[in-house]
Amino acid sequence: MARRPLPRILSNGSAQLARSRELARTAADSATDVLHPLITITRGLRRLASAGRRRWAETPKDKRGPLLFLVASVILVVALVPYGPLLAAITLMAAAAWHGRDRTPPAPDGPDESQAQRLKSLYEALVPYFSAAEDPEPMYSHGGDWEKALTSYDFDASGRVTRLVIDYPAYFTDGEPESRARIEQLLSSKSGRGREYHFDWDEEGNQLTVTVLAPLPADIPAQRFVTAPGETVLGFTDPTEVQRTLPLTYGEEQHDIPPVVWRTGLRSTEPHLLALGQPGSGISTLLRSIALQALQHGDVLIVEGGGTGEYACLTGRDGVLAVECALAGALTSLEWAAHETERRLIAVNRARQAGHPPPEDTKRPLWILLDRPTALAQVAAAEGHKDPQSLLQVPLRHGRAAGVTVVVAEQFDTMDALSDAVRQHTRARVVLGPATAAQLEHYLGAPPRTTPVSHVPPGRGYARLGTGPVLRLQVPATPDPYDDATADSHRQAVMDLLPPHTTPGDEEAEGPADALTEPTGGPETEVPPDTTPEPATTLRPTLDKPDPVPAKAAVAETS
């Protein structure tokens, strides 16, 4: 039998549910106001009954008989006295109303003495910035009324400010980044260091809202994320910054966490990524997380310039074309990637000219991950070889049309050694680890809306995709499973995401070294005579060798 489809919610269903929920809430509030005396008396009767049961349980057994006789005598006297039952009922209701009253202490109308002193100190510190000698009625003045300027405030259990709304005069230059930075620095230092503050400037209303941000969860392990093909989860951010959440499992419960999603492919405006940080900031963790997600739908080529073996767990896995650490293997692999990009461009262009869909061997995404390429550039310069970064020009410039994505990770101190092509074409940026506001603005192209702190966990930083806002970022925990310092739970989470090993029976007759080193057109890579390229992981059989067409001819034909 054909299964009947489930009824779909109408387009205005959410609005109707919201109105119904609001009507139900209003009706409940009205009923509570009308029935408040009855609720109070019922609560008092319940408390009196509980007190009676407790009194009866505390009475010794040998004294319970006289107590029952005394209670029965009182009831008999009340029943015989004129208007006795009515007076007893009134007395009982009055006692129930007294015991059923709301005993919650009222909230204080204003801040206590210590909180008021803290707010007054903030007000006095803002006077030099929010006052002018020409103002006949200044809002900010030494010894002035701080309650007119600091209109709303919240404090935590320790007495520090967690939320503050500040009114400032209209002549303050809130449109200048320098003026804003001075106020933000002052408030972050006066309100308490070691916390991240979010500043929301309302230029139309002349209001500044300061909010203390909660720390991002740093214990989210690597897992399968609910994303579409072409979407990569870089990490997680604040719920107020994005309008999407992902169901994640960490700890013993499932949570909905807002992610930072990077979109790649033909319609991506930021097809390549540059990740920067200091040693130990979690750059390798980010690249491992990206590689595990990319292997679900594409192939990955990894070049590690540091030579620390951070990606040894990916060697020989399905979809991993190569994991290169030596200069010769890196040059050979990157040259093959450049020629593969050209081949895909030519194949796609010929198919479009003939009115056919793109070939199947050009649809599978190719990811090129480079960790510290400047280290290989220094070795290449010392040995007289070309810079490996020069082989990235074609993948960077034409990778979006060919389905090739480049991810480069580098440290702060060697940022200047990156080539111009890498810095110009990597419009998606990630900065991990402790960094100053000036560094974040220099690397990301825009200042963050929060105050960076000096001590952060690994994988904590900021991200900016193209011309979007600067978002706080926490990379999912994706450590090296072969590291002895890795926790067992995180090691097992990474091992569960790794693809199976490529078996020898699945390989082509042509060896992997021959597939990478055989000339395929374009400039040939000079291999040192005393160095033998290390064997790389077998290339997928669907990736044929490109046609022997120079790079300039390929670009001209696609244009």
Side-chain angles (χ1 to χ4, degrees), residues 142-404:
H142 293 290
D145 187 6
W146 60 266
E147 295 182 356
K148 295 181 179 180
L150 310 182
T151 56
S152 179
Y153 39 80
D154 294 323
F155 294 87
D156 58 8
S158 61
R160 296 199 297 176
V161 177
T162 57
R163 184 179 179 275
L164 182 64
V165 179
I166 303 173
D167 291 344
Y168 57 86
Y171 53 77
F172 175 72
T173 56
D174 52 2
E176 299 179 1
E178 296 79 7
S179 301
R180 290 189 177 191
R182 288 194 297 267
I183 299 300
E184 294 174 0
Q185 178 64 27
L186 173 66
L187 292 175
S188 61
S189 60
K190 290 293 184 180
S191 301
R193 299 182 181 272
R195 301 187 297 175
E196 290 186 88
Y197 297 88
H198 179 269
F199 299 95
D200 185 11
W201 292 84
D202 183 7
E203 299 181 8
E204 296 181 357
N206 298 323
Q207 273 192 347
L208 170 61
T209 303
V210 185
T211 308
V212 178
L213 296 176
L216 295 176
D219 56 345
I220 299 179
Q223 54 192 283
R224 293 297 182 197
F225 303 117
V226 184
T227 56
E231 293 183 344
T232 303
V233 177
L234 300 179
F236 311 100
T237 185
D238 300 303
T240 57
E241 299 295 335
V242 296
Q243 301 179 354
R244 177 179 178 180
T245 58
L246 291 180
L248 302 178
T249 302
Y250 68 97
E252 298 180 355
E253 299 179 355
Q254 187 173 4
H255 306 268
D256 292 335
I257 306 296
V260 178
V261 178
W262 173 40
R263 293 175 176 85
T264 57
L266 292 176
R267 294 175 178 83
S268 174
T269 57
E270 304 87 19
H272 308 297
L273 176 72
L274 175 60
L276 301 171
Q278 297 179 357
S281 60
I283 294 295
S284 301
T285 298
L286 175 62
L287 261 64
R288 273 191 297 268
S289 177
I290 293 176
L292 292 177
Q293 298 179 62
L295 287 173
Q296 300 182 55
H297 307 286
D299 300 321
V300 176
L301 173 64
I302 301 176
V303 175
E304 182 186 2
T308 57
E310 293 283 346
Y311 311 96
C313 60
L314 297 171
T315 304
R317 301 284 179 173
D318 289 348
V320 181
L321 304 182
V323 180
E324 298 292 350
C325 299
L327 175 61
L331 290 174
T332 305
S333 300
L334 293 180
E335 184 178 6
W336 174 87
H339 293 331
E340 173 65 13
T341 305
E342 297 174 6
R343 184 195 68 82
R344 292 189 176 200
L345 282 174
I346 297 173
V348 171
N349 183 59
R350 290 175 177 173
R352 289 176 179 174
Q353 290 180 356
H356 300 299
E360 293 296 331
D361 58 352
T362 63
K363 294 182 179 180
R364 186 172 177 84
L366 174 61
W367 292 72
I368 305 175
L369 309 182
L370 296 95
D371 190 356
R372 297 195 63 191
T374 57
L376 292 176
Q378 296 176 358
V379 177
E383 297 182 0
H385 300 290
K386 65 171 65 177
D387 188 351
Q389 299 181 77
S390 63
L391 300 173
L392 295 176
Q393 294 185 4
V394 174
L396 286 171
R397 293 178 180 177
H398 308 284
R400 179 174 60 179
V404 179

Side-chain angles (χ1 to χ4, degrees), residues 375-436:
L376 292 176
Q378 296 176 358
V379 177
E383 297 182 0
H385 300 290
K386 65 171 65 177
D387 188 351
Q389 299 181 77
S390 63
L391 300 173
L392 295 176
Q393 294 185 4
V394 174
L396 286 171
R397 293 178 180 177
H398 308 284
R400 179 174 60 179
V404 179
T405 303
V406 180
V407 180
V408 180
E410 196 52 68
Q411 298 180 2
F412 287 154
D413 52 357
T414 55
M415 169 67 178
D416 297 336
L418 290 176
S419 64
D420 294 337
V422 172
R423 284 182 287 185
Q424 292 175 1
H425 294 281
T426 52
R427 300 179 65 249
R429 299 288 181 91
V430 172
V431 176
L432 299 181
T436 62

